[in-house]
Amino acid sequence: MTIAQSLRNYLLSHGIKQTFIAEKCGWSKQKVNCIVSGKRKMSAEEFSLICKSIGAPYELFLDNVAAQDSA
């Protein structure tokens, strides 16, 4: 599992829309969609902004990836 997949799963399970993230970060919805769908790599700064916009610690997504990799 990638960070983008973990992020996507989180958004879906918490009912958070990509539009919400786009508005909070000042990005287009297309940019958010490309990041969340894994079509575009995200920078560390973008990842940090997304985490802040949804109020989730970045470790949550890193831990999900690490747990899947070790399984």
Side-chain angles (χ1 to χ4, degrees):
M1 176 181 291
T2 66
I3 292 174
Q5 290 169 329
S6 180
L7 179 60
R8 183 177 185 86
N9 291 342
Y10 181 88
L11 297 177
L12 290 172
S13 68
H14 287 80
I16 301 171
K17 303 286 185 190
Q18 293 178 14
T19 304
F20 174 81
I21 295 172
E23 289 172 1
K24 287 282 195 177
C25 295
W27 301 335
S28 69
K29 184 177 180 277
Q30 291 79 15
K31 178 177 179 174
V32 176
N33 182 267
C34 286
I35 290 171
V36 172
S37 66
K39 295 176 186 172
R40 176 189 182 284
K41 292 185 178 187
M42 72 179 117
S43 69
E45 182 181 346
E46 289 168 335
F47 179 54
S48 177
L49 283 171
I50 291 170
C51 291
K52 286 179 186 177
S53 75
I54 61 175
Y58 68 87
E59 294 92 353
L60 175 69
F61 305 106
L62 299 178
D63 290 345
N64 286 343
V65 172
Q68 287 292 321
D69 287 344
S70 65

